[in-house]
Amino acid sequence: ITNQSVAAVWQVPIPFPLTASVITVLSGNAVGTGGTLDFTLYRESGASSVFTVTTPTISAAYTTYRAYLSSTTGIDAGNYYAMANTNAAANFNIVGWDTEASVYGRLGNVDGEPVINGTYVIAGGSPPTSIVTTAITSVATGQVNNLFFRIDG
């Protein structure tokens, strides 16, 4: 994650209702310039966000970082979009599932269906309160991961 104006966005199915108070991410194998990460969960329509949290400064490789929601939040089962963005000039990896070119080309961008993995332009490190899902831009393999995260109550 290197550009505070371009966020990574991916679709997330949540199979059952849960309660969230902590979001945990794992840094990857490279931290060039440390920084904080905003993590936002949006409803499938993009019309509103469920929450946004900011991690502590990500400064070490293969380290877990926990971000605490301001209050416990209930999340219904369903499809959501997750967004990750840095707040300033930074350069670090977050562990995720990389989309293979063949899989991505066949499943990630199906005509007439939502893009399930891509980028979204934001205003300088500030995640919006809603997103326009048709404005998610699909990208080639290796450019965007479906970042792994953990939700705890």
Side-chain angles (χ1 to χ4, degrees):
I1 295 182
T2 61
N3 186 334
Q4 66 189 33
S5 295
V6 180
V9 180
W10 63 104
Q11 198 171 60
V12 177
I14 295 181
F16 47 83
L18 52 87
T19 301
S21 63
V22 182
I23 304 301
T24 305
V25 297
L26 174 65
S27 59
N29 65 346
V31 176
T33 303
T36 57
L37 175 82
D38 284 334
F39 183 91
T40 306
L41 189 68
Y42 295 94
R43 299 187 194 299
E44 184 176 21
S45 67
S48 62
S49 63
V50 178
F51 62 78
T52 297
V53 292
T54 302
T55 66
T57 298
I58 294 172
S59 58
Y62 296 120
T63 302
T64 55
Y65 292 90
R66 297 177 66 139
Y68 297 87
L69 279 67
S70 58
S71 62
T72 300
T73 301
I75 302 172
D76 294 327
N79 291 322
Y80 293 83
Y81 280 96
M83 177 184 283
N85 66 276
T86 183
N87 290 298
N91 184 5
F92 52 82
N93 294 344
I94 299 294
V95 173
W97 173 71
D98 190 10
T99 54
E100 289 286 332
S102 62
V103 172
Y104 181 76
R106 291 183 179 100
L107 297 177
N109 190 11
V110 176
D111 285 344
E113 299 297 333
V115 173
I116 60 171
N117 179 338
T119 60
Y120 194 85
V121 175
I122 64 172
S126 298
T129 56
S130 64
I131 60 172
V132 177
T133 58
T134 56
I136 299 170
T137 302
S138 61
V139 294
T141 182
Q143 292 180 334
V144 173
N145 283 332
N146 297 297
L147 305 181
F148 294 148
F149 65 96
R150 178 180 170 136
I151 298 175
D152 289 299

